[in-house]
Amino acid sequence: MALELTGAERLAEVGGKAANLGELLRAGLPVPAGFCLTTQAYRRATEGAGLDAVHTSLAAASPEDLPGLAALAAAARRLVLAADVPADVVQAVSEAYAVLGPDVPVAVRSSATAEDLPFASFAGQQDTFLNVVGIEAVLAAVRECWASLWTDRAVSYRASHGISPAAVSLAVVVQRMVDAATAGVLFTANPVTGRRHEAVIDASPGLGEAVVSGAVNPDHFVIDSATRRILERRIGSKAVAIRPLPGGGTKRIIQPDAGTRPCIDDSGLLALELLGRRAEVHFGAPQDLEWAIDDGGAAWLTQSRPITTLYPLPERQHAPGGTRVYLCFSLAQGLTRPLTPMGLAGFRLIASSVARAAHFEVPVPHDGPSPYAAAGQRLFFDLTPVLRNGVGRALVPRVFDVMEARSAAVLRSLFDDPRFSVTSRSPWRLLRHVVPVAARAMVPESLLRALVRPEAALRRAERFGERFRAALVVPAGSTAVQRLDHVERILGRELFPVVPNILPLPALGFALLAAAGRLLGTSAGPGTLQPVLRGLPHNVTTEMDLALWQLAETIRADDGAAAVFEGTGPDAEAVPELARRYRARELPAVVQSGLAGFLGRYGHRAVAEIDLGVPRWSEEPAHILGVLANYLRLEDPGLAPDRQFSKAAGDAEAQVQRLAAAAGQRGRLRAALVRAALKRTRMFAGLRELPKYHIVEALAAVRAQLQAIGTELAAAGRIADADDIFFLDLVEAREALAGRTLHAVVEVRREDYARELGRRHIPRVLLSDGTEPEALRSRTSGTGADAGVLNGTPASAGTVTAAARVILDPQGARLEPGEILVAPSTDPGWTPLFLTAGGLVMEMGGPNSHGAVVAREYGIPAVVGVPDATTLIATGQRITVDGGEGSVVPESGPTDA
């Protein structure tokens, strides 16, 4: 098939590379002439080769079993190379090759059906053969391309991305060779900073293989696509060039003096940038292109694929003009995974209720307020007005200093950007929106009560919780439509009042801690106040963790119950069986009733619990059973978490007395004020976790109603499964109840969600042009750390040296007692693991993030906000965590653990 006939609609026949080349030709862009041998030829050549058995074995293999995958890949390659090429395929290739010219040099390239797609770029995983001359050489190269579908790297990649081995096939592209004077790669968006308006070009003399393979240090250029100005030029050494040989093949040539001058002039760079921009417009997405310039100065595009590493741009209704600053709210909540569509829909309605309570206009509540945006199925909010307001600049970064310190640093780095200069310094605009909310929730009265009658303030918070839980109950016999009305009432009216009714108390507690520090003056040296926050009462998260520990102790005391967990770790196959037995009520009474009691109180919680689409512990108790098994392996009674917590509380009370005595040296009144302030700090600071606890209670109630609605929709055939409702939004759920069938919508959403689950890098702050300010900071300023030291934010004082355990998802994770937990972030669903951890290191968070608070409660040394900790530290590697200094020092390599 001629390349002109290929295109996106023939992807299954021609593969990604050929389809994209066909699209370039349709756009009128210069592409060397050639043809495509379709996937049908591959299937015909291999249909009797015995690949079916290999497909079956690969489908059953674990993505982590690299030796096993490699052995199966080698077997597949042998079968393909041994297969006969059908005679009519040989004839078709011969005729198409002859059209290009007699013995014309060509490039023979693999084009896989799962290659160069918008969601997964398989660059370099199948083979390419350059300067192939003669039909016999072409046929041999075709066979090698077919076999390269089964390279170790390609097989491993497909296994890790869940791509069926039987679903992939291979086409082959044969193109006339460009005898390149200069060649390289072109990105139409900056892959490092994310900027969509910058083109990046790498260039080197000779064939582009030198640049693509990394064999050469090329010339590097960055071009502003809007102004066509060259922003950066770095001349590489270009010590090696790859040139074609007469008669076929290539050779490497040493170029000792090539680094003295660029291999392409400015006009050539701008011409390439224009070609790239035309390709991006045609495809509708930034492109990674390979290019070559021949001896006559003509530029050719030899390949195009999407840049899959770019983070998606924020999507919002009616976005204002100009560059905007978006903060990732998901990361601020300790959530790196995507939210389900229903989870996003729920947050849009919640955010709308917040905005309306603050007297902002929200034309369509289901769309969310104007600052709301979604990107990569994560929550973002437009903070541009905050940066342009003097009061906002002063307050918001300080809030993030204690919630997510690295986000605060990134926001401050934008203060000098003229696009976000201050346009208002008046506090009245902020007060106009905050004061009505505070007045409606009687915040001033609450604060005064907390100062004068702290016990009464605690009782009022408890009564609010009781009223709130009562409002979550749906009347018996409600119809599905009434249930959906109930869901929207909770999300749109009942949920937000939790924040102004509860949050002022812990805020006052921390404010009083700061006030005590000022009263103490020089007596409060570095770190003297932090022990006051150890072993805090009224913290629902630590109460939950200790309740689970107490259940483990009860199980330990019963031989029959303990025997159920013998030899069981959280990642063992026995845990799902324990969960099955629990649901069937087959466990010993101590375990059955104890776990039921725990889940009756805390079963609404989960990892990633702010997402309505995530199952709760009451639905899937395997995680809790695994944590119980982990607790039962702790044999040193001195390390028991309840003892550690009690000791921490005792130490904190003693520290209060010491600080009051120190203040007493400057007068009795000062001592009394310090003692009163710190007493209230300890009474109220633990309530920091309570607002989210209540919110998650509401989300669990909403989820239960949505599950009931989903069951009805599945029975009616509108969706395939009850849980499919979490891949709709609230409007679509109502349409489904009215009769709309949504199978196709759910299928697409599930595929999108599965792809986003694999995304590791999430920007804390993202500009509307795709720029990631944190990437710019790391390039220009460096980390400032000593060699081998990872720096973050101090979160819980103390020093520990132990083996690290890197955990990306706590579900089914195993943490040995005393190991240091290294995680991307944590929410309350992670904290049961903390009880037996020796230390904590997190990539996200600040001193008052969930992980930091709980770590202090148990006296676990913790450092948060450590960039790339989960990739720079390996499981089993011994590390030293200094929670006072905020440093993590890894030893040279992993241990045998």
PDB file of all heavy atoms in Angstrom, residues 394-427:
ATOM      1  N   ALA A 394       0.034  36.953  50.523  1.00  0.00           N
ATOM      2  CA  ALA A 394       0.541  36.848  51.897  1.00  0.00           C
ATOM      3  C   ALA A 394      -0.017  35.620  52.606  1.00  0.00           C
ATOM      4  O   ALA A 394       0.695  34.974  53.384  1.00  0.00           O
ATOM      5  CB  ALA A 394       0.185  38.118  52.670  1.00  0.00           C
ATOM      6  N   LEU A 395      -1.285  35.271  52.324  1.00  0.00           N
ATOM      7  CA  LEU A 395      -1.942  34.226  53.100  1.00  0.00           C
ATOM      8  C   LEU A 395      -1.803  32.829  52.505  1.00  0.00           C
ATOM      9  O   LEU A 395      -1.438  31.876  53.214  1.00  0.00           O
ATOM     10  CB  LEU A 395      -3.437  34.559  53.246  1.00  0.00           C
ATOM     11  CG  LEU A 395      -3.790  35.776  54.095  1.00  0.00           C
ATOM     12  CD1 LEU A 395      -5.305  35.963  54.135  1.00  0.00           C
ATOM     13  CD2 LEU A 395      -3.256  35.617  55.508  1.00  0.00           C
ATOM     14  N   VAL A 396      -2.103  32.683  51.220  1.00  0.00           N
ATOM     15  CA  VAL A 396      -2.228  31.336  50.650  1.00  0.00           C
ATOM     16  C   VAL A 396      -0.912  30.558  50.685  1.00  0.00           C
ATOM     17  O   VAL A 396      -0.898  29.386  51.092  1.00  0.00           O
ATOM     18  CB  VAL A 396      -2.820  31.411  49.226  1.00  0.00           C
ATOM     19  CG1 VAL A 396      -2.776  30.046  48.541  1.00  0.00           C
ATOM     20  CG2 VAL A 396      -4.252  31.924  49.294  1.00  0.00           C
ATOM     21  N   PRO A 397       0.224  31.133  50.283  1.00  0.00           N
ATOM     22  CA  PRO A 397       1.466  30.344  50.396  1.00  0.00           C
ATOM     23  C   PRO A 397       1.777  29.930  51.831  1.00  0.00           C
ATOM     24  O   PRO A 397       2.343  28.862  52.059  1.00  0.00           O
ATOM     25  CB  PRO A 397       2.537  31.288  49.841  1.00  0.00           C
ATOM     26  CG  PRO A 397       1.793  32.199  48.917  1.00  0.00           C
ATOM     27  CD  PRO A 397       0.463  32.413  49.594  1.00  0.00           C
ATOM     28  N   ARG A 398       1.378  30.748  52.811  1.00  0.00           N
ATOM     29  CA  ARG A 398       1.616  30.365  54.205  1.00  0.00           C
ATOM     30  C   ARG A 398       0.770  29.160  54.592  1.00  0.00           C
ATOM     31  O   ARG A 398       1.204  28.310  55.378  1.00  0.00           O
ATOM     32  CB  ARG A 398       1.312  31.543  55.132  1.00  0.00           C
ATOM     33  CG  ARG A 398       2.322  32.681  55.009  1.00  0.00           C
ATOM     34  CD  ARG A 398       2.025  33.777  56.008  1.00  0.00           C
ATOM     35  NE  ARG A 398       2.960  34.890  55.842  1.00  0.00           N
ATOM     36  CZ  ARG A 398       2.918  36.015  56.554  1.00  0.00           C
ATOM     37  NH1 ARG A 398       1.966  36.156  57.480  1.00  0.00           N
ATOM     38  NH2 ARG A 398       3.783  36.978  56.347  1.00  0.00           N
ATOM     39  N   VAL A 399      -0.443  29.095  54.074  1.00  0.00           N
ATOM     40  CA  VAL A 399      -1.274  27.915  54.325  1.00  0.00           C
ATOM     41  C   VAL A 399      -0.606  26.674  53.752  1.00  0.00           C
ATOM     42  O   VAL A 399      -0.527  25.628  54.399  1.00  0.00           O
ATOM     43  CB  VAL A 399      -2.673  28.113  53.715  1.00  0.00           C
ATOM     44  CG1 VAL A 399      -3.475  26.817  53.802  1.00  0.00           C
ATOM     45  CG2 VAL A 399      -3.406  29.247  54.412  1.00  0.00           C
ATOM     46  N   PHE A 400      -0.076  26.801  52.543  1.00  0.00           N
ATOM     47  CA  PHE A 400       0.571  25.650  51.912  1.00  0.00           C
ATOM     48  C   PHE A 400       1.931  25.341  52.527  1.00  0.00           C
ATOM     49  O   PHE A 400       2.432  24.230  52.361  1.00  0.00           O
ATOM     50  CB  PHE A 400       0.689  25.862  50.399  1.00  0.00           C
ATOM     51  CG  PHE A 400      -0.590  25.562  49.683  1.00  0.00           C
ATOM     52  CD1 PHE A 400      -1.472  26.569  49.355  1.00  0.00           C
ATOM     53  CD2 PHE A 400      -0.931  24.261  49.360  1.00  0.00           C
ATOM     54  CE1 PHE A 400      -2.665  26.304  48.720  1.00  0.00           C
ATOM     55  CE2 PHE A 400      -2.115  23.973  48.720  1.00  0.00           C
ATOM     56  CZ  PHE A 400      -2.996  24.999  48.396  1.00  0.00           C
ATOM     57  N   ASP A 401       2.513  26.292  53.230  1.00  0.00           N
ATOM     58  CA  ASP A 401       3.758  25.994  53.949  1.00  0.00           C
ATOM     59  C   ASP A 401       3.559  24.823  54.904  1.00  0.00           C
ATOM     60  O   ASP A 401       4.470  24.015  55.113  1.00  0.00           O
ATOM     61  CB  ASP A 401       4.227  27.217  54.747  1.00  0.00           C
ATOM     62  CG  ASP A 401       4.966  28.226  53.882  1.00  0.00           C
ATOM     63  OD1 ASP A 401       5.526  27.819  52.848  1.00  0.00           O
ATOM     64  OD2 ASP A 401       4.962  29.419  54.241  1.00  0.00           O
ATOM     65  N   VAL A 402       2.379  24.722  55.494  1.00  0.00           N
ATOM     66  CA  VAL A 402       2.128  23.640  56.447  1.00  0.00           C
ATOM     67  C   VAL A 402       1.371  22.474  55.824  1.00  0.00           C
ATOM     68  O   VAL A 402       1.338  21.385  56.379  1.00  0.00           O
ATOM     69  CB  VAL A 402       1.364  24.159  57.686  1.00  0.00           C
ATOM     70  CG1 VAL A 402       2.214  25.155  58.439  1.00  0.00           C
ATOM     71  CG2 VAL A 402       0.022  24.780  57.304  1.00  0.00           C
ATOM     72  N   MET A 403       0.739  22.694  54.655  1.00  0.00           N
ATOM     73  CA  MET A 403       0.001  21.615  53.994  1.00  0.00           C
ATOM     74  C   MET A 403       0.852  20.882  52.967  1.00  0.00           C
ATOM     75  O   MET A 403       0.881  19.657  52.923  1.00  0.00           O
ATOM     76  CB  MET A 403      -1.240  22.186  53.294  1.00  0.00           C
ATOM     77  CG  MET A 403      -2.368  22.568  54.203  1.00  0.00           C
ATOM     78  SD  MET A 403      -3.758  23.227  53.238  1.00  0.00           S
ATOM     79  CE  MET A 403      -4.100  21.868  52.117  1.00  0.00           C
ATOM     80  N   GLU A 404       1.494  21.644  52.090  1.00  0.00           N
ATOM     81  CA  GLU A 404       2.248  21.062  50.984  1.00  0.00           C
ATOM     82  C   GLU A 404       3.347  22.053  50.634  1.00  0.00           C
ATOM     83  O   GLU A 404       3.197  22.915  49.772  1.00  0.00           O
ATOM     84  CB  GLU A 404       1.321  20.811  49.781  1.00  0.00           C
ATOM     85  CG  GLU A 404       1.576  19.503  49.056  1.00  0.00           C
ATOM     86  CD  GLU A 404       2.949  19.470  48.389  1.00  0.00           C
ATOM     87  OE1 GLU A 404       3.222  20.322  47.546  1.00  0.00           O
ATOM     88  OE2 GLU A 404       3.744  18.567  48.730  1.00  0.00           O
ATOM     89  N   ALA A 405       4.470  21.949  51.350  1.00  0.00           N
ATOM     90  CA  ALA A 405       5.484  22.999  51.360  1.00  0.00           C
ATOM     91  C   ALA A 405       6.071  23.263  49.975  1.00  0.00           C
ATOM     92  O   ALA A 405       6.373  24.407  49.630  1.00  0.00           O
ATOM     93  CB  ALA A 405       6.600  22.635  52.343  1.00  0.00           C
ATOM     94  N   ARG A 406       6.238  22.223  49.164  1.00  0.00           N
ATOM     95  CA  ARG A 406       6.826  22.447  47.842  1.00  0.00           C
ATOM     96  C   ARG A 406       5.883  23.248  46.952  1.00  0.00           C
ATOM     97  O   ARG A 406       6.324  24.044  46.125  1.00  0.00           O
ATOM     98  CB  ARG A 406       7.194  21.111  47.204  1.00  0.00           C
ATOM     99  CG  ARG A 406       8.428  20.466  47.855  1.00  0.00           C
ATOM    100  CD  ARG A 406       8.638  19.046  47.402  1.00  0.00           C
ATOM    101  NE  ARG A 406       8.900  18.937  45.983  1.00  0.00           N
ATOM    102  CZ  ARG A 406       8.873  17.788  45.303  1.00  0.00           C
ATOM    103  NH1 ARG A 406       8.568  16.667  45.931  1.00  0.00           N
ATOM    104  NH2 ARG A 406       9.130  17.769  44.019  1.00  0.00           N
ATOM    105  N   SER A 407       4.580  23.071  47.110  1.00  0.00           N
ATOM    106  CA  SER A 407       3.629  23.889  46.346  1.00  0.00           C
ATOM    107  C   SER A 407       3.774  25.357  46.730  1.00  0.00           C
ATOM    108  O   SER A 407       3.703  26.247  45.864  1.00  0.00           O
ATOM    109  CB  SER A 407       2.196  23.413  46.604  1.00  0.00           C
ATOM    110  OG  SER A 407       1.980  22.123  46.084  1.00  0.00           O
ATOM    111  N   ALA A 408       3.965  25.620  48.022  1.00  0.00           N
ATOM    112  CA  ALA A 408       4.156  27.000  48.462  1.00  0.00           C
ATOM    113  C   ALA A 408       5.384  27.615  47.814  1.00  0.00           C
ATOM    114  O   ALA A 408       5.360  28.770  47.364  1.00  0.00           O
ATOM    115  CB  ALA A 408       4.279  27.042  49.995  1.00  0.00           C
ATOM    116  N   ALA A 409       6.476  26.851  47.747  1.00  0.00           N
ATOM    117  CA  ALA A 409       7.701  27.365  47.138  1.00  0.00           C
ATOM    118  C   ALA A 409       7.495  27.652  45.656  1.00  0.00           C
ATOM    119  O   ALA A 409       7.994  28.664  45.125  1.00  0.00           O
ATOM    120  CB  ALA A 409       8.840  26.362  47.330  1.00  0.00           C
ATOM    121  N   VAL A 410       6.750  26.790  44.972  1.00  0.00           N
ATOM    122  CA  VAL A 410       6.505  27.007  43.549  1.00  0.00           C
ATOM    123  C   VAL A 410       5.653  28.254  43.351  1.00  0.00           C
ATOM    124  O   VAL A 410       5.918  29.062  42.443  1.00  0.00           O
ATOM    125  CB  VAL A 410       5.830  25.771  42.920  1.00  0.00           C
ATOM    126  CG1 VAL A 410       5.492  26.042  41.457  1.00  0.00           C
ATOM    127  CG2 VAL A 410       6.747  24.561  43.013  1.00  0.00           C
ATOM    128  N   LEU A 411       4.634  28.429  44.185  1.00  0.00           N
ATOM    129  CA  LEU A 411       3.794  29.624  44.058  1.00  0.00           C
ATOM    130  C   LEU A 411       4.626  30.888  44.266  1.00  0.00           C
ATOM    131  O   LEU A 411       4.483  31.867  43.512  1.00  0.00           O
ATOM    132  CB  LEU A 411       2.653  29.570  45.075  1.00  0.00           C
ATOM    133  CG  LEU A 411       1.527  28.570  44.780  1.00  0.00           C
ATOM    134  CD1 LEU A 411       0.552  28.520  45.945  1.00  0.00           C
ATOM    135  CD2 LEU A 411       0.795  28.951  43.499  1.00  0.00           C
ATOM    136  N   ARG A 412       5.491  30.872  45.258  1.00  0.00           N
ATOM    137  CA  ARG A 412       6.321  32.062  45.506  1.00  0.00           C
ATOM    138  C   ARG A 412       7.269  32.339  44.345  1.00  0.00           C
ATOM    139  O   ARG A 412       7.620  33.491  44.084  1.00  0.00           O
ATOM    140  CB  ARG A 412       7.106  31.896  46.807  1.00  0.00           C
ATOM    141  CG  ARG A 412       6.246  31.973  48.065  1.00  0.00           C
ATOM    142  CD  ARG A 412       7.084  32.030  49.325  1.00  0.00           C
ATOM    143  NE  ARG A 412       6.262  32.198  50.510  1.00  0.00           N
ATOM    144  CZ  ARG A 412       5.880  31.210  51.313  1.00  0.00           C
ATOM    145  NH1 ARG A 412       6.292  29.962  51.065  1.00  0.00           N
ATOM    146  NH2 ARG A 412       5.114  31.445  52.353  1.00  0.00           N
ATOM    147  N   SER A 413       7.684  31.293  43.646  1.00  0.00           N
ATOM    148  CA  SER A 413       8.593  31.501  42.512  1.00  0.00           C
ATOM    149  C   SER A 413       7.932  32.271  41.383  1.00  0.00           C
ATOM    150  O   SER A 413       8.619  32.789  40.498  1.00  0.00           O
ATOM    151  CB  SER A 413       9.097  30.144  41.992  1.00  0.00           C
ATOM    152  OG  SER A 413       8.080  29.453  41.288  1.00  0.00           O
ATOM    153  N   LEU A 414       6.595  32.353  41.405  1.00  0.00           N
ATOM    154  CA  LEU A 414       5.873  33.071  40.352  1.00  0.00           C
ATOM    155  C   LEU A 414       5.636  34.537  40.705  1.00  0.00           C
ATOM    156  O   LEU A 414       5.108  35.286  39.875  1.00  0.00           O
ATOM    157  CB  LEU A 414       4.530  32.384  40.082  1.00  0.00           C
ATOM    158  CG  LEU A 414       4.604  30.949  39.560  1.00  0.00           C
ATOM    159  CD1 LEU A 414       3.214  30.332  39.527  1.00  0.00           C
ATOM    160  CD2 LEU A 414       5.232  30.915  38.175  1.00  0.00           C
ATOM    161  N   PHE A 415       6.008  34.960  41.918  1.00  0.00           N
ATOM    162  CA  PHE A 415       5.737  36.334  42.349  1.00  0.00           C
ATOM    163  C   PHE A 415       6.411  37.361  41.443  1.00  0.00           C
ATOM    164  O   PHE A 415       5.884  38.466  41.254  1.00  0.00           O
ATOM    165  CB  PHE A 415       6.200  36.544  43.794  1.00  0.00           C
ATOM    166  CG  PHE A 415       5.291  35.933  44.828  1.00  0.00           C
ATOM    167  CD1 PHE A 415       4.155  35.235  44.464  1.00  0.00           C
ATOM    168  CD2 PHE A 415       5.582  36.064  46.181  1.00  0.00           C
ATOM    169  CE1 PHE A 415       3.320  34.666  45.419  1.00  0.00           C
ATOM    170  CE2 PHE A 415       4.749  35.507  47.144  1.00  0.00           C
ATOM    171  CZ  PHE A 415       3.611  34.812  46.766  1.00  0.00           C
ATOM    172  N   ASP A 416       7.582  37.022  40.910  1.00  0.00           N
ATOM    173  CA  ASP A 416       8.319  37.989  40.101  1.00  0.00           C
ATOM    174  C   ASP A 416       7.932  37.945  38.623  1.00  0.00           C
ATOM    175  O   ASP A 416       8.457  38.723  37.828  1.00  0.00           O
ATOM    176  CB  ASP A 416       9.832  37.748  40.232  1.00  0.00           C
ATOM    177  CG  ASP A 416      10.343  38.033  41.636  1.00  0.00           C
ATOM    178  OD1 ASP A 416       9.738  38.888  42.312  1.00  0.00           O
ATOM    179  OD2 ASP A 416      11.318  37.390  42.058  1.00  0.00           O
ATOM    180  N   ASP A 417       7.034  37.058  38.269  1.00  0.00           N
ATOM    181  CA  ASP A 417       6.608  36.960  36.871  1.00  0.00           C
ATOM    182  C   ASP A 417       5.652  38.113  36.576  1.00  0.00           C
ATOM    183  O   ASP A 417       4.597  38.230  37.213  1.00  0.00           O
ATOM    184  CB  ASP A 417       5.907  35.614  36.635  1.00  0.00           C
ATOM    185  CG  ASP A 417       5.668  35.317  35.158  1.00  0.00           C
ATOM    186  OD1 ASP A 417       5.310  36.264  34.420  1.00  0.00           O
ATOM    187  OD2 ASP A 417       5.827  34.156  34.747  1.00  0.00           O
ATOM    188  N   PRO A 418       5.981  38.979  35.627  1.00  0.00           N
ATOM    189  CA  PRO A 418       5.124  40.153  35.373  1.00  0.00           C
ATOM    190  C   PRO A 418       3.705  39.785  34.942  1.00  0.00           C
ATOM    191  O   PRO A 418       2.789  40.600  35.085  1.00  0.00           O
ATOM    192  CB  PRO A 418       5.871  40.896  34.258  1.00  0.00           C
ATOM    193  CG  PRO A 418       6.804  39.899  33.659  1.00  0.00           C
ATOM    194  CD  PRO A 418       7.159  38.954  34.753  1.00  0.00           C
ATOM    195  N   ARG A 419       3.518  38.563  34.431  1.00  0.00           N
ATOM    196  CA  ARG A 419       2.161  38.155  34.028  1.00  0.00           C
ATOM    197  C   ARG A 419       1.230  38.016  35.231  1.00  0.00           C
ATOM    198  O   ARG A 419       0.012  38.031  35.072  1.00  0.00           O
ATOM    199  CB  ARG A 419       2.214  36.834  33.264  1.00  0.00           C
ATOM    200  CG  ARG A 419       2.928  36.899  31.926  1.00  0.00           C
ATOM    201  CD  ARG A 419       3.071  35.512  31.313  1.00  0.00           C
ATOM    202  NE  ARG A 419       3.937  34.651  32.118  1.00  0.00           N
ATOM    203  CZ  ARG A 419       4.192  33.375  31.829  1.00  0.00           C
ATOM    204  NH1 ARG A 419       3.637  32.825  30.765  1.00  0.00           N
ATOM    205  NH2 ARG A 419       5.000  32.670  32.602  1.00  0.00           N
ATOM    206  N   PHE A 420       1.837  37.874  36.422  1.00  0.00           N
ATOM    207  CA  PHE A 420       1.029  37.664  37.618  1.00  0.00           C
ATOM    208  C   PHE A 420       1.292  38.748  38.661  1.00  0.00           C
ATOM    209  O   PHE A 420       1.194  38.508  39.864  1.00  0.00           O
ATOM    210  CB  PHE A 420       1.314  36.279  38.209  1.00  0.00           C
ATOM    211  CG  PHE A 420       1.298  35.186  37.177  1.00  0.00           C
ATOM    212  CD1 PHE A 420       2.430  34.405  36.960  1.00  0.00           C
ATOM    213  CD2 PHE A 420       0.178  34.959  36.392  1.00  0.00           C
ATOM    214  CE1 PHE A 420       2.436  33.413  35.989  1.00  0.00           C
ATOM    215  CE2 PHE A 420       0.173  33.966  35.427  1.00  0.00           C
ATOM    216  CZ  PHE A 420       1.304  33.192  35.217  1.00  0.00           C
ATOM    217  N   SER A 421       1.625  39.947  38.214  1.00  0.00           N
ATOM    218  CA  SER A 421       1.928  41.027  39.133  1.00  0.00           C
ATOM    219  C   SER A 421       0.662  41.440  39.894  1.00  0.00           C
ATOM    220  O   SER A 421      -0.461  41.249  39.437  1.00  0.00           O
ATOM    221  CB  SER A 421       2.497  42.230  38.380  1.00  0.00           C
ATOM    222  OG  SER A 421       1.593  42.635  37.367  1.00  0.00           O
ATOM    223  N   VAL A 422       0.859  42.014  41.072  1.00  0.00           N
ATOM    224  CA  VAL A 422      -0.253  42.393  41.945  1.00  0.00           C
ATOM    225  C   VAL A 422      -1.055  43.522  41.310  1.00  0.00           C
ATOM    226  O   VAL A 422      -0.506  44.536  40.882  1.00  0.00           O
ATOM    227  CB  VAL A 422       0.271  42.815  43.324  1.00  0.00           C
ATOM    228  CG1 VAL A 422      -0.856  43.372  44.183  1.00  0.00           C
ATOM    229  CG2 VAL A 422       0.923  41.635  44.024  1.00  0.00           C
ATOM    230  N   THR A 423      -2.370  43.318  41.248  1.00  0.00           N
ATOM    231  CA  THR A 423      -3.265  44.354  40.718  1.00  0.00           C
ATOM    232  C   THR A 423      -4.172  44.925  41.791  1.00  0.00           C
ATOM    233  O   THR A 423      -4.861  45.912  41.561  1.00  0.00           O
ATOM    234  CB  THR A 423      -4.129  43.788  39.571  1.00  0.00           C
ATOM    235  OG1 THR A 423      -4.877  42.671  40.063  1.00  0.00           O
ATOM    236  CG2 THR A 423      -3.254  43.345  38.403  1.00  0.00           C
ATOM    237  N   SER A 424      -4.212  44.277  42.974  1.00  0.00           N
ATOM    238  CA  SER A 424      -5.041  44.779  44.065  1.00  0.00           C
ATOM    239  C   SER A 424      -4.378  44.436  45.385  1.00  0.00           C
ATOM    240  O   SER A 424      -3.905  43.317  45.587  1.00  0.00           O
ATOM    241  CB  SER A 424      -6.437  44.149  44.007  1.00  0.00           C
ATOM    242  OG  SER A 424      -7.175  44.477  45.170  1.00  0.00           O
ATOM    243  N   ARG A 425      -4.348  45.395  46.286  1.00  0.00           N
ATOM    244  CA  ARG A 425      -3.787  45.156  47.615  1.00  0.00           C
ATOM    245  C   ARG A 425      -4.841  45.295  48.717  1.00  0.00           C
ATOM    246  O   ARG A 425      -4.556  45.114  49.886  1.00  0.00           O
ATOM    247  CB  ARG A 425      -2.634  46.121  47.890  1.00  0.00           C
ATOM    248  CG  ARG A 425      -1.478  45.929  46.921  1.00  0.00           C
ATOM    249  CD  ARG A 425      -0.271  46.762  47.310  1.00  0.00           C
ATOM    250  NE  ARG A 425       0.804  46.583  46.349  1.00  0.00           N
ATOM    251  CZ  ARG A 425       1.665  45.577  46.370  1.00  0.00           C
ATOM    252  NH1 ARG A 425       1.572  44.660  47.327  1.00  0.00           N
ATOM    253  NH2 ARG A 425       2.614  45.467  45.454  1.00  0.00           N
ATOM    254  N   SER A 426      -6.051  45.570  48.338  1.00  0.00           N
ATOM    255  CA  SER A 426      -7.106  45.779  49.326  1.00  0.00           C
ATOM    256  C   SER A 426      -7.616  44.436  49.853  1.00  0.00           C
ATOM    257  O   SER A 426      -7.835  43.491  49.083  1.00  0.00           O
ATOM    258  CB  SER A 426      -8.273  46.539  48.696  1.00  0.00           C
ATOM    259  OG  SER A 426      -9.390  46.542  49.578  1.00  0.00           O
ATOM    260  N   PRO A 427      -7.840  44.338  51.164  1.00  0.00           N
ATOM    261  CA  PRO A 427      -8.394  43.089  51.730  1.00  0.00           C
ATOM    262  C   PRO A 427      -9.913  43.006  51.617  1.00  0.00           C
ATOM    263  O   PRO A 427     -10.497  41.969  51.924  1.00  0.00           O
ATOM    264  CB  PRO A 427      -7.967  43.165  53.198  1.00  0.00           C
ATOM    265  CG  PRO A 427      -7.947  44.628  53.488  1.00  0.00           C
ATOM    266  CD  PRO A 427      -7.492  45.307  52.214  1.00  0.00           C
TER     267      PRO A 427
END
